[in-house]
Amino acid sequence: MAKQETYDAVIIGSGATGGWAAKELTQKGFKVAVLEAGRKLDPMKDYTEHTWPYELKFRGFGNRADMERAQPIQSKCYACNEYGRQFFVNDLENPFTTPPDKPFYWIRSRHVGGRSVPWGRQTYRLSNYDFKAASHDGYGDDWPINYEELAPYYDKVEEFIGISGSYENLPQLPDSKFLPPMNLTCGEIVLKNAVDKLGDSHRRVIIGRCAILTKSIHQGTPDARVACHWCGHCDRGCTTRSYFSSPASTLPAAARTGKMTLVPHAVVSHVIVDKQNGKAKGVHYVDALTRNHREVFGKVVMLCAGTLESTRIMLNSTSSTYPNGIANSSGVLGHYLMDHVGGGGASGSLPMLDARRLEQDGRANGIYIPRFRNLTTKHGRFIRGYGFQGGAGQPLWDHAKGISGFGSELKKAVREYHPWGIGLGGFGECLARSENHVRLNKEVVDAWGIPVLHIEAVFGDNERAMVRDMGETAGEMLDAAGAKDIRVSYGPTSTPGILIHEVGTARMGNDRKKSVLNKFNQAHDVRNLFVTDGACYVSSGNQNPTLTMMALTVRACDYIAEEFRGGRL
Amino acid sequence: MTNRKAILLVTLAILVSSPVSVAGQGLNKKSPAASGRIEPLRVIGGELDGGTVTGQVKQGSRATTFSLTLTKAEMVSGKLRLSGDFALHGASIKHQVTATVGGVMSNASNPWPNARQERESVRKSKQEEAKAGEQQQGRAPKSPEAAAQLGQLAQSTQDSARKTPPAPGEKTEQTQSLYAQSEISSACGVLFLRLTLPRRLQGRIGTTSEPLQLGVVLKPFDNQRGEDIVKQICQLNQVSKTTNQSANLDQLNRLLARSKQ
């Protein structure tokens, strides 16, 4: 057996938060091991953003039978297709279970970089409307932190990864440190002008805020990255590193310190506990290639494996000290699972715009309408709020399905006519409810023998009422914009999980009897165990969550360094 | 063959077939300590067509085809137990095996309604009502559904690049909320069966005495009987919610009996 090496920190997961943990801790002088369950990607082979449909066997549609066989859940995700299915797991090797009548779509990536490789990169700050939501409307619990405490860490993350967007000075959606914004399309300007005239000062159409570079950053330094070249297929990878992902940004920075050991194919099963003092002393994993069981030791263990995977590892870390899973003396671990709710919105056409000029430019972004409900007034049917993502644009060829004719006349019409369309889809807050939970199902294991999660989550009346309102307000705005053929969706709600914003299950809090982590993402029960991914969320907010997870990770790393220096870990 | 020998064989097969161990690859050549345990084969997958599951047992780079024909269902101590004939490709012997359901991964029906489905209500704009019958600019698509989708499909980033026309119906992060509606119904997308194999078969496959997990997906096309079988299993697995258990069981056994014919 090889000599045991003890790292200063063992980080589980190499995605958005794992990458930041590795960068921050190594740059502070920590020697870290980063364990990743999957392989290292080769951008030249695995990234397909420049692949033409005719280069693919099924022209981009994929082999449906094969995807149903190996990825029946993953293939529900918009990015799991013939271009990008390599970024998603095999569902039979990486299963989970649900009640038959309560589907949940757990979308997972297992490779270096995790879901930071195919994600949509929409990046929004939370505000005190989110952190202190319970104080605002009386439901649930406040976060143990406020916006002002996290703001400097948002700044730090944004300045390093690069966020494009426009300054709007909205209290419900604080501004980031922005690179220049992308432009609105003509159709979006039509919508914006119409919404501005609706007389609701909170309702604004703005360009989406996203982690895609509108200008080159960190020039002349090893962290330099070049501006986007507008190929427009960010979910398929980015060989020029113009979008943020951990392999494009934070992991190389960590590697340059010489203090990071990256261990791919390391499928972590549980945290190893020191029986003497109850602290975490390392993690146990299975090498996915050799199937060897291995252990790695550290003075600090950071779980950055993704919301549900981190909780699964903790639930599976049972010992005489922690019979119900590590850091679970409260019994709260696994509870309060949330995902954003969708299914409400509207779409239509904009015939007032010239369809004979094609003005698409590969913009890798859409528009955003920040939350406007329950800010200064109370809505009668639901609490909290939702935002819209969407946009207006022209198709290249898809409109051909709606044009009649034959032969050269039809082809000519398709080439010369690109009608404008517009669509808005809501992303709403899901209330935190204890009954939406995960637990271990020891009757089912993954390919490495590790018990899987049983996930039980449904949306409630508040979410259903919110989705209904999404349809009403989206229809109203498209109507105001003069759209035609408006089609409104009032529901049903989305399947939980499919908006891929799952958060909660190891919530932060000041009361150790009602939460798993303290305000620095440190386990109440185990002082050298930290969880900084979405598991720590107290409420979901309605903004996309990844930016906040990264900011919380940076903040936790500052705290770890301070505690380390003080000899308290 | 003893379990230990079986494990050794699997390990050897995997080591021979794996080109290199990559633990610690790249940045630091030190590998974390091995505990000495090797994880045996735990999980296989297969596709149910009618009453027969077919799939592959993978041992390193070697894959052996198997089939499991389900023949009987019964309730044992309140839990559904399935029996069937398991055969490895090329082997003349069929092994009698039993299985219980460890869990299911449920599926929502029709989670991604596409452009041609009439799911949303049409909202007439005030302008549209006022100008009913007026000629639209350009050549309007005949299908309002297609027109309604255009903005979503075209604008939201990924579809808009000139050089890569979108696949029809493609979803992106910006549009996924609109496509994410689902009609929730009781539907087992994947069944996880726990197979108890005879010792002789355990050795052939390279697993242990613990149940082998078989993930079962439905063959997606032309497979009504497979769908009916999964539906019955799914209902019977919800023991507490099943009101008509014996009828479900009879129905399942009728469906399985056709496998033997």
Side-chain angles (χ1 to χ4, degrees):
Chain A
M1 187 182 291
K3 184 178 175 295
Q4 286 183 4
E5 180 171 8
T6 300
Y7 294 88
D8 293 323
V10 176
I11 299 165
I12 305 169
S14 66
T17 57
W20 267 102
K23 173 184 174 299
E24 289 300 294
L25 291 181
T26 55
Q27 290 181 342
K28 292 175 193 297
F30 282 58
K31 190 174 64 173
V32 308
V34 177
L35 272 56
E36 166 53 51
R39 66 189 171 105
K40 286 178 80 173
L41 295 171
D42 177 352
M44 300 314 291
K45 291 180 184 167
D46 293 308
Y47 290 5
T48 57
E49 78 272 28
H50 297 149
T51 300
W52 291 77
Y54 58 74
E55 294 177 82
L56 297 171
K57 185 175 180 184
F58 297 94
R59 304 295 187 257
F61 288 94
N63 181 340
R64 281 178 57 202
D66 189 50
M67 288 180 75
E68 283 291 323
R69 208 176 289 131
Q71 296 175 303
I73 300 297
Q74 304 307 308
S75 57
K76 306 288 191 284
C77 171
Y78 65 94
C80 184
N81 51 34
E82 194 172 3
Y83 296 95
R85 65 179 296 194
Q86 67 276 15
F87 300 137
F88 299 90
V89 299
N90 177 312
D91 286 314
L92 298 190
E93 291 181 354
N94 300 275
F96 59 94
T97 61
T98 62
D101 57 346
K102 293 178 183 172
F104 186 95
Y105 293 152
W106 185 10
I107 306 300
R108 306 164 77 185
S109 293
R110 280 192 160 182
H111 48 247
V112 174
R115 291 189 303 197
S116 79
V117 173
W119 73 307
R121 272 157 276 270
Q122 292 290 304
T123 45
Y124 301 95
R125 293 188 180 197
L126 296 182
S127 73
N128 279 335
Y129 280 106
D130 307 298
F131 292 119
K132 301 301 172 190
S135 297
H136 188 65
D137 59 29
Y139 179 87
D141 298 289
D142 284 337
W143 290 54
I145 57 171
N146 60 32
Y147 173 71
E148 290 70 27
E149 287 172 270
L150 198 57
Y153 298 98
Y154 278 131
D155 289 352
K156 183 172 183 175
V157 170
E158 290 158 354
E159 285 172 343
F160 186 75
I161 71 176
I163 309 290
S164 70
S166 57
Y167 290 94
E168 302 289 344
N169 197 28
L170 300 171
Q172 74 274 35
L173 185 72
D175 290 326
S176 295
K177 296 280 184 183
F178 290 127
L179 298 174
M182 297 178 199
N183 290 326
L184 298 176
T185 66
C186 297
E188 291 159 1
I189 292 170
V190 168
L191 177 69
K192 178 179 173 55
N193 291 339
V195 171
D196 285 347
K197 290 175 187 165
L198 283 177
D200 181 348
S201 60
H202 296 300
R203 215 184 292 197
R204 301 270 283 274
V205 177
I206 65 174
I207 187 69
R209 298 172 175 181
C210 66
I212 294 168
L213 302 182
T214 49
K215 72 174 191 181
S216 299
I217 59 171
H218 309 312
Q219 294 302 291
T221 76
D223 297 319
R225 288 164 51 215
V226 297
C228 176
H229 56 282
W230 313 116
C231 73
H233 291 281
C234 308
D235 53 323
R236 302 174 190 172
C238 183
T239 47
T240 61
R241 303 191 306 135
S242 304
Y243 74 15
F244 166 74
S245 68
S246 59
S249 173
T250 45
L251 288 174
R256 281 193 294 275
T257 65
K259 291 180 176 295
M260 176 177 77
T261 300
L262 178 63
V263 189
H265 303 292
V267 185
V268 172
S269 66
H270 61 274
V271 177
I272 305 166
V273 173
D274 186 330
K275 286 180 185 170
Q276 306 297 318
N277 56 24
K279 288 165 66 176
K281 68 173 186 179
V283 299
H284 186 109
Y285 70 91
V286 180
D287 185 312
L289 291 184
T290 67
R291 303 182 78 82
N292 263 299
H293 282 254
R294 292 180 179 274
E295 292 175 340
V296 60
F297 299 93
K299 295 168 187 166
V300 171
V301 172
M302 282 190 82
L303 285 165
C304 300
T307 294
L308 293 178
E309 191 62 44
S310 288
T311 295
R312 177 187 177 203
I313 291 166
M314 286 193 284
L315 286 169
N316 198 40
S317 301
T318 54
S319 61
S320 53
T321 316
Y322 305 114
N324 300 317
I326 196 167
N328 192 22
S329 65
S330 63
V332 169
L333 183 64
H335 293 266
Y336 301 100
L337 172 62
M338 298 163 275
D339 179 35
H340 283 148
V341 64
S347 58
S349 59
L350 296 171
M352 75 288 278
L353 296 174
D354 185 358
R356 294 190 182 276
R357 286 177 55 186
L358 182 61
E359 297 184 1
Q360 292 297 338
D361 58 2
R363 186 191 67 181
N365 200 358
I367 53 170
Y368 191 61
I369 300 177
R371 170 181 169 181
F372 49 89
R373 290 299 199 204
N374 294 315
L375 295 174
T376 54
T377 57
K378 282 190 176 180
H379 193 276
R381 296 198 304 270
F382 60 90
I383 58 172
R384 310 293 163 92
Y386 57 87
F388 282 113
Q389 294 181 38
Q394 296 167 283
L396 287 172
W397 315 117
D398 201 58
H399 57 294
K401 291 183 295 188
I403 296 178
S404 58
F406 297 97
S408 58
E409 276 296 306
L410 174 65
K411 289 177 186 172
K412 187 168 182 284
V414 171
R415 281 195 205 99
E416 292 183 353
Y417 175 75
H418 303 276
W420 280 84
I422 188 165
L424 297 173
F427 285 69
E429 175 161 354
C430 166
L431 296 182
R433 287 187 286 270
S434 177
E435 59 268 30
N436 283 342
H437 73 282
V438 299
R439 60 180 186 269
L440 285 185
N441 178 357
K442 294 185 178 178
E443 295 279 294
V444 178
V445 295
D446 67 12
W448 300 275
I450 304 166
V452 305
L453 280 186
H454 184 75
I455 305 174
E456 206 165 325
V458 292
F459 289 125
D461 291 341
N462 199 69
E463 288 84 30
R464 280 188 285 275
M466 197 181 277
V467 166
R468 172 100 204 153
D469 195 60
M470 288 174 190
E472 289 171 4
T473 57
E476 176 187 31
M477 288 187 280
L478 294 199
D479 197 357
K484 293 194 173 181
D485 305 315
I486 299 172
R487 307 193 71 77
V488 179
S489 170
Y490 301 106
T493 64
S494 53
T495 303
I498 194 55
L499 295 193
I500 325 176
H501 293 166
E502 73 276 11
V503 290
T505 66
R507 59 185 358 210
M508 300 163 80
N510 290 323
D511 184 348
R512 61 186 303 147
K513 290 180 181 167
K514 294 169 66 180
S515 57
V516 177
L517 308 169
N518 69 12
K519 64 186 290 186
F520 294 105
N521 296 77
Q522 179 182 35
H524 287 301
D525 300 345
V526 187
R527 66 176 186 269
N528 65 339
L529 178 67
F530 292 79
V531 185
T532 66
D533 53 35
C536 73
Y537 266 51
V538 181
S539 62
S540 74
N542 67 80
Q543 297 93 317
N544 305 43
T546 307
L547 176 63
T548 298
M549 297 175 200
M550 292 191 282
L552 288 168
T553 302
V554 175
R555 183 169 177 270
C557 288
D558 271 7
Y559 178 77
I560 288 169
E562 203 175 291
E563 293 295 287
F564 213 81
R565 278 194 295 272
R568 292 182 290 274
L569 288 179
Chain B
M1 190 184 295
T2 64
N3 292 340
R4 192 169 292 179
K5 279 180 182 169
I7 292 167
L8 194 62
L9 276 175
V10 174
T11 310
L12 280 170
I14 289 165
L15 288 176
V16 167
S17 63
S18 301
V20 63
S21 167
V22 296
Q25 182 187 36
L27 298 161
N28 185 331
K29 295 297 177 191
K30 288 174 192 167
S31 286
S35 70
R37 272 176 61 202
I38 304 289
E39 189 60 28
L41 179 70
R42 301 273 191 191
V43 170
I44 57 175
E47 190 176 68
L48 180 71
D49 184 4
T52 300
V53 185
T54 53
Q56 290 188 324
V57 178
K58 288 180 183 163
Q59 295 167 305
S61 59
R62 200 158 54 89
T64 309
T65 305
F66 74 86
S67 69
L68 169 64
T69 301
L70 299 172
T71 55
K72 186 182 167 190
E74 58 194 326
M75 298 302 290
V76 178
S77 304
K79 289 188 83 172
L80 178 66
R81 190 168 75 178
L82 300 163
S83 303
D85 298 326
F86 191 101
L88 289 171
H89 179 71
S92 54
I93 304 171
K94 285 183 179 176
H95 302 265
Q96 271 265 307
V97 299
T98 59
T100 56
V101 181
V104 304
M105 216 150 49
S106 60
N107 213 339
S109 57
N110 192 22
W112 298 115
N114 65 37
R116 283 169 291 282
Q117 284 174 302
E118 289 280 2
R119 293 184 50 101
E120 310 95 344
S121 58
V122 179
R123 179 189 174 107
K124 287 259 184 186
S125 71
K126 288 167 189 163
Q127 296 94 322
E128 196 175 8
E129 284 167 356
K131 297 180 181 179
E134 187 176 303
Q135 177 86 36
Q136 290 187 0
Q137 181 179 354
R139 289 181 58 172
K142 296 290 183 194
S143 156
E145 288 87 351
Q149 295 293 324
L150 296 177
Q152 301 157 43
L153 292 174
Q155 75 75 32
S156 57
T157 78
Q158 287 71 338
D159 293 347
S160 56
R162 283 174 182 276
K163 63 185 196 170
T164 315
E170 191 175 5
K171 289 90 189 174
T172 69
E173 190 190 40
Q174 279 75 40
T175 61
Q176 65 178 324
S177 170
L178 262 182
Y179 286 100
Q181 308 151 322
S182 65
E183 294 288 0
I184 297 192
S185 60
S186 186
C188 295
V190 185
L191 290 172
F192 296 103
L193 301 182
R194 288 163 55 85
L195 296 179
T196 304
L197 304 178
R199 182 165 288 193
R200 194 167 151 202
L201 196 53
Q202 291 166 16
R204 283 286 308 276
I205 290 177
T207 185
T208 66
S209 58
E210 289 178 39
L212 178 68
Q213 183 174 297
L214 171 60
V216 181
V217 296
L218 267 173
K219 180 182 166 238
F221 314 112
D222 305 323
N223 188 18
Q224 188 57 51
R225 190 157 67 93
E227 282 182 35
D228 293 342
I229 287 171
V230 167
K231 189 177 173 187
Q232 295 300 331
I233 292 174
C234 194
Q235 286 180 359
L236 282 161
N237 195 47
Q238 284 185 287
V239 176
S240 59
K241 294 180 184 173
T242 303
T243 52
N244 201 356
Q245 196 179 84
S246 61
N248 284 132
L249 197 59
D250 289 346
Q251 173 65 14
L252 178 56
N253 274 313
R254 274 196 296 276
L255 289 162
L256 296 181
R258 290 171 56 193
S259 306
K260 292 186 278 192
Q261 293 166 3

